[in-house]
Amino acid sequence: MSRVLYAIACGSPAAARIGRLVGLAQAEGWEVCVIATPDGAKFLDLPALTAMTGHPVRIQYKNPQDPDVLPAPDAMIVAPATVNTINKWAAGICDTLALGLIVEGIGLGLPIVAMPFTNRAHAAHPAFGENLARLSSWGVTVLWDTTGHRPHEPRAGEGLIDTFPWEQALAALPELATVR
């Protein structure tokens, strides 16, 4: 039986390379579904990701009468996670499908890895650090300011998208997520 990973992409230039995460996860036996925030979707090649995963990329909540088109997740990776998403997520705000799923994921006890991608000025806001700590205390594996993954200078993120460490996010999934 396959394991299902939800790859949640937020509004960051690094989201353009989420196909790398999809490929890495598929090589490890995951069935991957990509969900994006509305701003995250601006960076994605939706037809290519749909072809790669065999699932539509979901951006919006479905209509109540419509069937679910994605299998239920066994784990989630939120990467690149923006300051906006981290702060809304920690506040329990569900104003996008991506946020609704990750808020629910905590309640369901799913293994979740969050890997922010932001500049040092945004990261310096006190709410960001407090919310990373809050998410971590709720069981989310937060990868921030790790080797090879640090806050960057303002307006320099575009030049770093090819070095975003997707493999770290996948490697951080707890053992619980690796056996079904």
Side-chain angles (χ1 to χ4, degrees):
M1 187 177 290
S2 69
R3 302 165 297 157
V4 177
L5 175 67
Y6 279 13
I8 313 286
C10 304
S12 162
R17 303 293 190 269
I18 200 164
R20 286 186 53 209
L21 175 62
V22 172
L24 290 166
Q26 288 173 330
E28 290 191 16
W30 289 95
E31 179 178 356
V32 183
C33 302
V34 177
I35 296 93
T37 64
D39 283 333
K42 295 174 185 177
F43 296 95
L44 303 182
D45 182 337
L46 302 178
L49 289 167
T50 297
M52 190 175 193
T53 64
H55 298 287
V57 176
R58 292 285 314 277
I59 301 160
Q60 302 292 331
Y61 282 106
K62 68 178 187 64
N63 292 320
Q65 69 275 10
D66 293 343
D68 286 331
V69 295
L70 301 180
D74 295 300
M76 297 179 180
I77 293 177
V78 186
T82 60
V83 170
N84 188 53
T85 294
I86 293 295
N87 290 338
K88 285 184 169 186
W89 182 12
I93 295 171
C94 299
D95 63 352
T96 67
L97 174 63
L99 280 163
L101 291 170
I102 58 180
V103 166
E104 182 179 64
I106 289 174
L108 293 172
L110 292 175
I112 305 173
V113 173
M115 185 173 244
F117 182 79
T118 193
N119 68 52
R120 65 174 179 74
H122 283 161
H125 192 283
F128 180 67
E130 291 169 4
N131 287 326
L132 289 177
R134 185 172 289 127
L135 290 169
S136 182
S137 76
W138 296 335
V140 175
T141 301
V142 176
L143 302 177
W144 178 240
D145 204 10
T146 61
T147 301
H149 179 63
R150 304 225 186 278
H152 52 269
E153 291 302 310
R155 292 172 268 305
E158 195 84 36
L160 301 172
I161 63 174
D162 289 327
T163 61
F164 188 76
W166 299 102
E167 60 285 343
Q168 284 184 23
L170 188 60
L173 279 177
E175 281 298 313
L176 175 64
T178 61
V179 181
R180 192 174 200 198

PDB file of all heavy atoms in Angstrom, residues 67-89:
ATOM      1  N   PRO A  67     -16.722  15.596  -5.148  1.00  0.00           N
ATOM      2  CA  PRO A  67     -15.953  14.554  -4.443  1.00  0.00           C
ATOM      3  C   PRO A  67     -14.512  15.003  -4.190  1.00  0.00           C
ATOM      4  O   PRO A  67     -13.990  15.873  -4.892  1.00  0.00           O
ATOM      5  CB  PRO A  67     -15.975  13.382  -5.436  1.00  0.00           C
ATOM      6  CG  PRO A  67     -16.129  14.032  -6.778  1.00  0.00           C
ATOM      7  CD  PRO A  67     -16.966  15.277  -6.542  1.00  0.00           C
ATOM      8  N   ASP A  68     -13.896  14.398  -3.191  1.00  0.00           N
ATOM      9  CA  ASP A  68     -12.463  14.633  -2.977  1.00  0.00           C
ATOM     10  C   ASP A  68     -11.703  13.983  -4.126  1.00  0.00           C
ATOM     11  O   ASP A  68     -12.005  12.844  -4.499  1.00  0.00           O
ATOM     12  CB  ASP A  68     -12.001  14.012  -1.654  1.00  0.00           C
ATOM     13  CG  ASP A  68     -12.464  14.799  -0.441  1.00  0.00           C
ATOM     14  OD1 ASP A  68     -12.630  16.016  -0.560  1.00  0.00           O
ATOM     15  OD2 ASP A  68     -12.657  14.187   0.619  1.00  0.00           O
ATOM     16  N   VAL A  69     -10.739  14.691  -4.686  1.00  0.00           N
ATOM     17  CA  VAL A  69      -9.974  14.132  -5.804  1.00  0.00           C
ATOM     18  C   VAL A  69      -8.596  13.653  -5.371  1.00  0.00           C
ATOM     19  O   VAL A  69      -7.879  13.058  -6.171  1.00  0.00           O
ATOM     20  CB  VAL A  69      -9.845  15.145  -6.969  1.00  0.00           C
ATOM     21  CG1 VAL A  69     -11.204  15.446  -7.578  1.00  0.00           C
ATOM     22  CG2 VAL A  69      -9.148  16.421  -6.520  1.00  0.00           C
ATOM     23  N   LEU A  70      -8.233  13.910  -4.116  1.00  0.00           N
ATOM     24  CA  LEU A  70      -6.932  13.463  -3.619  1.00  0.00           C
ATOM     25  C   LEU A  70      -7.120  12.413  -2.538  1.00  0.00           C
ATOM     26  O   LEU A  70      -8.054  12.502  -1.737  1.00  0.00           O
ATOM     27  CB  LEU A  70      -6.147  14.650  -3.024  1.00  0.00           C
ATOM     28  CG  LEU A  70      -5.855  15.827  -3.940  1.00  0.00           C
ATOM     29  CD1 LEU A  70      -5.077  16.898  -3.185  1.00  0.00           C
ATOM     30  CD2 LEU A  70      -5.113  15.391  -5.186  1.00  0.00           C
ATOM     31  N   PRO A  71      -6.217  11.440  -2.484  1.00  0.00           N
ATOM     32  CA  PRO A  71      -6.266  10.485  -1.367  1.00  0.00           C
ATOM     33  C   PRO A  71      -5.887  11.187  -0.066  1.00  0.00           C
ATOM     34  O   PRO A  71      -5.223  12.227  -0.081  1.00  0.00           O
ATOM     35  CB  PRO A  71      -5.221   9.434  -1.756  1.00  0.00           C
ATOM     36  CG  PRO A  71      -4.281  10.150  -2.679  1.00  0.00           C
ATOM     37  CD  PRO A  71      -5.103  11.178  -3.394  1.00  0.00           C
ATOM     38  N   ALA A  72      -6.305  10.626   1.052  1.00  0.00           N
ATOM     39  CA  ALA A  72      -5.983  11.204   2.358  1.00  0.00           C
ATOM     40  C   ALA A  72      -4.475  11.124   2.599  1.00  0.00           C
ATOM     41  O   ALA A  72      -3.827  10.145   2.216  1.00  0.00           O
ATOM     42  CB  ALA A  72      -6.731  10.474   3.459  1.00  0.00           C
ATOM     43  N   PRO A  73      -3.900  12.142   3.258  1.00  0.00           N
ATOM     44  CA  PRO A  73      -2.457  12.142   3.479  1.00  0.00           C
ATOM     45  C   PRO A  73      -2.034  11.280   4.663  1.00  0.00           C
ATOM     46  O   PRO A  73      -2.769  11.118   5.628  1.00  0.00           O
ATOM     47  CB  PRO A  73      -2.164  13.613   3.789  1.00  0.00           C
ATOM     48  CG  PRO A  73      -3.411  14.091   4.463  1.00  0.00           C
ATOM     49  CD  PRO A  73      -4.544  13.368   3.763  1.00  0.00           C
ATOM     50  N   ASP A  74      -0.823  10.759   4.554  1.00  0.00           N
ATOM     51  CA  ASP A  74      -0.167  10.081   5.675  1.00  0.00           C
ATOM     52  C   ASP A  74       0.852  11.009   6.324  1.00  0.00           C
ATOM     53  O   ASP A  74       1.261  10.787   7.460  1.00  0.00           O
ATOM     54  CB  ASP A  74       0.540   8.816   5.194  1.00  0.00           C
ATOM     55  CG  ASP A  74      -0.451   7.792   4.669  1.00  0.00           C
ATOM     56  OD1 ASP A  74      -1.321   7.363   5.442  1.00  0.00           O
ATOM     57  OD2 ASP A  74      -0.367   7.446   3.476  1.00  0.00           O
ATOM     58  N   ALA A  75       1.282  12.030   5.583  1.00  0.00           N
ATOM     59  CA  ALA A  75       2.266  12.999   6.071  1.00  0.00           C
ATOM     60  C   ALA A  75       2.189  14.233   5.185  1.00  0.00           C
ATOM     61  O   ALA A  75       1.617  14.184   4.089  1.00  0.00           O
ATOM     62  CB  ALA A  75       3.672  12.405   6.031  1.00  0.00           C
ATOM     63  N   MET A  76       2.766  15.329   5.694  1.00  0.00           N
ATOM     64  CA  MET A  76       2.785  16.578   4.937  1.00  0.00           C
ATOM     65  C   MET A  76       4.152  17.243   5.069  1.00  0.00           C
ATOM     66  O   MET A  76       4.788  17.155   6.117  1.00  0.00           O
ATOM     67  CB  MET A  76       1.737  17.553   5.482  1.00  0.00           C
ATOM     68  CG  MET A  76       0.319  17.082   5.367  1.00  0.00           C
ATOM     69  SD  MET A  76      -0.798  18.330   6.083  1.00  0.00           S
ATOM     70  CE  MET A  76      -2.374  17.541   5.818  1.00  0.00           C
ATOM     71  N   ILE A  77       4.549  17.893   3.981  1.00  0.00           N
ATOM     72  CA  ILE A  77       5.719  18.771   4.011  1.00  0.00           C
ATOM     73  C   ILE A  77       5.258  20.132   3.532  1.00  0.00           C
ATOM     74  O   ILE A  77       4.682  20.255   2.449  1.00  0.00           O
ATOM     75  CB  ILE A  77       6.868  18.247   3.117  1.00  0.00           C
ATOM     76  CG1 ILE A  77       7.434  16.948   3.688  1.00  0.00           C
ATOM     77  CG2 ILE A  77       7.971  19.304   2.981  1.00  0.00           C
ATOM     78  CD1 ILE A  77       8.531  16.317   2.841  1.00  0.00           C
ATOM     79  N   VAL A  78       5.480  21.141   4.356  1.00  0.00           N
ATOM     80  CA  VAL A  78       5.123  22.520   4.018  1.00  0.00           C
ATOM     81  C   VAL A  78       6.429  23.227   3.671  1.00  0.00           C
ATOM     82  O   VAL A  78       7.195  23.604   4.541  1.00  0.00           O
ATOM     83  CB  VAL A  78       4.412  23.221   5.201  1.00  0.00           C
ATOM     84  CG1 VAL A  78       3.928  24.603   4.768  1.00  0.00           C
ATOM     85  CG2 VAL A  78       3.254  22.374   5.718  1.00  0.00           C
ATOM     86  N   ALA A  79       6.663  23.348   2.368  1.00  0.00           N
ATOM     87  CA  ALA A  79       7.918  23.931   1.911  1.00  0.00           C
ATOM     88  C   ALA A  79       7.752  24.401   0.472  1.00  0.00           C
ATOM     89  O   ALA A  79       7.160  23.675  -0.333  1.00  0.00           O
ATOM     90  CB  ALA A  79       9.050  22.895   1.988  1.00  0.00           C
ATOM     91  N   PRO A  80       8.237  25.528   0.152  1.00  0.00           N
ATOM     92  CA  PRO A  80       8.769  26.542   1.052  1.00  0.00           C
ATOM     93  C   PRO A  80       7.637  27.182   1.851  1.00  0.00           C
ATOM     94  O   PRO A  80       6.614  27.553   1.302  1.00  0.00           O
ATOM     95  CB  PRO A  80       9.408  27.549   0.098  1.00  0.00           C
ATOM     96  CG  PRO A  80       8.585  27.431  -1.163  1.00  0.00           C
ATOM     97  CD  PRO A  80       8.195  25.986  -1.245  1.00  0.00           C
ATOM     98  N   ALA A  81       7.821  27.283   3.139  1.00  0.00           N
ATOM     99  CA  ALA A  81       6.828  27.903   4.016  1.00  0.00           C
ATOM    100  C   ALA A  81       7.161  29.383   4.177  1.00  0.00           C
ATOM    101  O   ALA A  81       8.276  29.726   4.539  1.00  0.00           O
ATOM    102  CB  ALA A  81       6.815  27.213   5.372  1.00  0.00           C
ATOM    103  N   THR A  82       6.196  30.224   3.902  1.00  0.00           N
ATOM    104  CA  THR A  82       6.418  31.665   4.042  1.00  0.00           C
ATOM    105  C   THR A  82       6.124  32.117   5.466  1.00  0.00           C
ATOM    106  O   THR A  82       5.473  31.413   6.245  1.00  0.00           O
ATOM    107  CB  THR A  82       5.511  32.448   3.079  1.00  0.00           C
ATOM    108  OG1 THR A  82       4.144  32.151   3.398  1.00  0.00           O
ATOM    109  CG2 THR A  82       5.807  32.111   1.623  1.00  0.00           C
ATOM    110  N   VAL A  83       6.577  33.296   5.806  1.00  0.00           N
ATOM    111  CA  VAL A  83       6.267  33.897   7.101  1.00  0.00           C
ATOM    112  C   VAL A  83       4.754  34.016   7.251  1.00  0.00           C
ATOM    113  O   VAL A  83       4.197  33.731   8.313  1.00  0.00           O
ATOM    114  CB  VAL A  83       6.961  35.271   7.240  1.00  0.00           C
ATOM    115  CG1 VAL A  83       6.459  36.029   8.455  1.00  0.00           C
ATOM    116  CG2 VAL A  83       8.468  35.096   7.311  1.00  0.00           C
ATOM    117  N   ASN A  84       4.080  34.406   6.189  1.00  0.00           N
ATOM    118  CA  ASN A  84       2.626  34.540   6.209  1.00  0.00           C
ATOM    119  C   ASN A  84       1.962  33.212   6.582  1.00  0.00           C
ATOM    120  O   ASN A  84       1.085  33.162   7.457  1.00  0.00           O
ATOM    121  CB  ASN A  84       2.144  35.025   4.837  1.00  0.00           C
ATOM    122  CG  ASN A  84       0.678  35.363   4.824  1.00  0.00           C
ATOM    123  OD1 ASN A  84       0.195  36.124   5.637  1.00  0.00           O
ATOM    124  ND2 ASN A  84      -0.033  34.783   3.873  1.00  0.00           N
ATOM    125  N   THR A  85       2.367  32.140   5.933  1.00  0.00           N
ATOM    126  CA  THR A  85       1.771  30.834   6.216  1.00  0.00           C
ATOM    127  C   THR A  85       2.086  30.383   7.629  1.00  0.00           C
ATOM    128  O   THR A  85       1.202  29.900   8.347  1.00  0.00           O
ATOM    129  CB  THR A  85       2.233  29.789   5.181  1.00  0.00           C
ATOM    130  OG1 THR A  85       1.707  30.164   3.898  1.00  0.00           O
ATOM    131  CG2 THR A  85       1.763  28.399   5.538  1.00  0.00           C
ATOM    132  N   ILE A  86       3.324  30.520   8.059  1.00  0.00           N
ATOM    133  CA  ILE A  86       3.698  30.115   9.427  1.00  0.00           C
ATOM    134  C   ILE A  86       2.834  30.849  10.452  1.00  0.00           C
ATOM    135  O   ILE A  86       2.282  30.246  11.377  1.00  0.00           O
ATOM    136  CB  ILE A  86       5.203  30.363   9.686  1.00  0.00           C
ATOM    137  CG1 ILE A  86       6.078  29.443   8.825  1.00  0.00           C
ATOM    138  CG2 ILE A  86       5.534  30.238  11.174  1.00  0.00           C
ATOM    139  CD1 ILE A  86       5.964  27.956   9.114  1.00  0.00           C
ATOM    140  N   ASN A  87       2.705  32.167  10.294  1.00  0.00           N
ATOM    141  CA  ASN A  87       1.968  32.955  11.274  1.00  0.00           C
ATOM    142  C   ASN A  87       0.471  32.636  11.255  1.00  0.00           C
ATOM    143  O   ASN A  87      -0.155  32.525  12.314  1.00  0.00           O
ATOM    144  CB  ASN A  87       2.224  34.444  11.066  1.00  0.00           C
ATOM    145  CG  ASN A  87       3.645  34.829  11.436  1.00  0.00           C
ATOM    146  OD1 ASN A  87       4.323  34.140  12.194  1.00  0.00           O
ATOM    147  ND2 ASN A  87       4.108  35.940  10.891  1.00  0.00           N
ATOM    148  N   LYS A  88      -0.111  32.474  10.075  1.00  0.00           N
ATOM    149  CA  LYS A  88      -1.533  32.120  10.002  1.00  0.00           C
ATOM    150  C   LYS A  88      -1.774  30.708  10.540  1.00  0.00           C
ATOM    151  O   LYS A  88      -2.752  30.460  11.246  1.00  0.00           O
ATOM    152  CB  LYS A  88      -2.034  32.215   8.561  1.00  0.00           C
ATOM    153  CG  LYS A  88      -2.249  33.616   8.071  1.00  0.00           C
ATOM    154  CD  LYS A  88      -2.830  33.564   6.662  1.00  0.00           C
ATOM    155  CE  LYS A  88      -3.320  34.898   6.190  1.00  0.00           C
ATOM    156  NZ  LYS A  88      -3.997  34.770   4.872  1.00  0.00           N
ATOM    157  N   TRP A  89      -0.898  29.781  10.193  1.00  0.00           N
ATOM    158  CA  TRP A  89      -1.025  28.393  10.634  1.00  0.00           C
ATOM    159  C   TRP A  89      -1.013  28.315  12.158  1.00  0.00           C
ATOM    160  O   TRP A  89      -1.869  27.675  12.769  1.00  0.00           O
ATOM    161  CB  TRP A  89       0.110  27.595  10.025  1.00  0.00           C
ATOM    162  CG  TRP A  89       0.183  26.133  10.276  1.00  0.00           C
ATOM    163  CD1 TRP A  89      -0.765  25.312  10.810  1.00  0.00           C
ATOM    164  CD2 TRP A  89       1.298  25.297   9.960  1.00  0.00           C
ATOM    165  NE1 TRP A  89      -0.306  24.015  10.851  1.00  0.00           N
ATOM    166  CE2 TRP A  89       0.959  23.985  10.329  1.00  0.00           C
ATOM    167  CE3 TRP A  89       2.545  25.534   9.401  1.00  0.00           C
ATOM    168  CZ2 TRP A  89       1.825  22.913  10.160  1.00  0.00           C
ATOM    169  CZ3 TRP A  89       3.401  24.468   9.225  1.00  0.00           C
ATOM    170  CH2 TRP A  89       3.041  23.166   9.602  1.00  0.00           C
TER     171      TRP A  89
END
